[in-house]
Amino acid sequence: MQCVFVQIQCKPGTVYDVATEIALKEIHSELYSTSGHYDLMLKVYIPEGQDVGRFLNESLFGIPGIERTLTTMTFNAF
């Protein structure tokens, strides 16, 4: 499995709605509210053989209220 972190910037007033929609999809390992430029951060394990961009696009990025995302792919743990 490929571990990725996705930071999400929400449209004003939609953070709780976006977080609820993400939680209902049950695609994440962890979901956090954050401070700074982004409102939420989630940890997602992409199934082996799945294209990361396609998986995130089809399962996450269509949620209403998401304005911008930043996806960070991970490699080896130290």
Side-chain angles (χ1 to χ4, degrees):
M1 294 195 135
Q2 173 73 44
C3 176
V4 299
F5 290 88
V6 181
Q7 295 182 74
I8 299 172
Q9 186 179 64
C10 301
K11 293 179 182 172
T14 65
V15 174
Y16 288 99
D17 294 333
V18 171
T20 299
E21 286 297 315
I22 292 169
L24 290 173
K25 289 182 175 280
E26 297 182 357
I27 61 165
H28 63 285
S29 168
E30 299 169 45
L31 175 61
Y32 298 98
S33 174
T34 60
S35 62
H37 294 290
Y38 293 89
D39 303 300
L40 300 168
M41 179 172 20
L42 64 144
K43 183 178 183 181
V44 180
Y45 287 97
I46 308 298
E48 198 68 40
Q50 289 270 338
D51 179 78
V52 173
R54 182 177 296 274
F55 181 87
L56 294 174
N57 189 56
E58 291 175 354
S59 61
L60 182 68
F61 296 154
I63 294 174
I66 293 179
E67 193 166 76
R68 183 178 189 183
T69 64
L70 173 66
T71 302
T72 303
M73 298 183 62
T74 64
F75 301 100
N76 297 327
F78 294 99

